[in-house]
Amino acid sequence: MIEGNRPGGEGGRPDDRVASGLRFGTELVAWVGTPWALAGHSWWAAVVSVVVLIGLPTVFATPGDKTQVIVAVPGWVTVLLVLLQLVAAVVSSWVVWPGWVAAGVAVLAVAALCAELSRWRWLLARR
């Protein structure tokens, strides 16, 4: 794991490219799978899921975790938003794709969760 400070100051969040890549891969699955899973029930729910899964993390961020923060929130909110993405990816994948794909998504989500732990500790320590 690459531990270091984010460019621009002391005390930045842990910089782990592997964790970022795993998190982004899981987010992509959530962004595609969740609206797909919901579209058969309600197009409105599918649209809302995209707004929630992409919009909330874009608007709400913990200072120091992103370069630009629109609305500052405590670290625990950022952790909950990441957990929402992970859960959405796993649940929606089991609904819309074959079991072997969904199992792969579950492994990806567990890997992302494990890789995120140092960042989450840092986020939860932020006031």
Side-chain angles (χ1 to χ4, degrees):
M1 178 179 296
I2 301 169
E3 293 284 336
N5 288 337
R6 175 169 259 212
E10 288 289 319
R13 75 174 177 88
D15 181 16
D16 188 337
R17 294 170 201 262
V18 173
S20 295
L22 292 170
R23 183 176 66 248
F24 182 66
T26 308
E27 288 171 346
L28 284 175
V29 172
W31 299 343
V32 171
T34 304
W36 188 345
L38 293 172
H41 303 288
S42 165
W43 282 102
W44 282 105
V47 170
V48 168
S49 75
V50 172
V51 170
V52 168
L53 292 172
I54 297 174
L56 289 183
T58 301
V59 173
F60 300 102
T62 303
D65 190 44
K66 285 188 176 180
T67 306
Q68 290 186 317
V69 175
I70 299 170
V71 177
V73 295
W76 63 267
V77 174
T78 300
V79 171
L80 286 179
L81 289 172
V82 174
L83 281 171
L84 174 67
Q85 300 270 356
L86 296 174
V87 169
V90 171
V91 170
S92 66
S93 68
W94 283 104
V95 171
V96 296
W97 295 313
W100 64 272
V101 174
V105 170
V107 169
L108 174 66
V110 168
L113 179 108
C114 292
E116 283 283 293
L117 291 178
S118 67
R119 176 176 172 244
W120 288 3
R121 281 190 286 277
W122 178 82
L123 284 166
L124 294 172
R126 311 263 317 157
R127 297 187 194 274

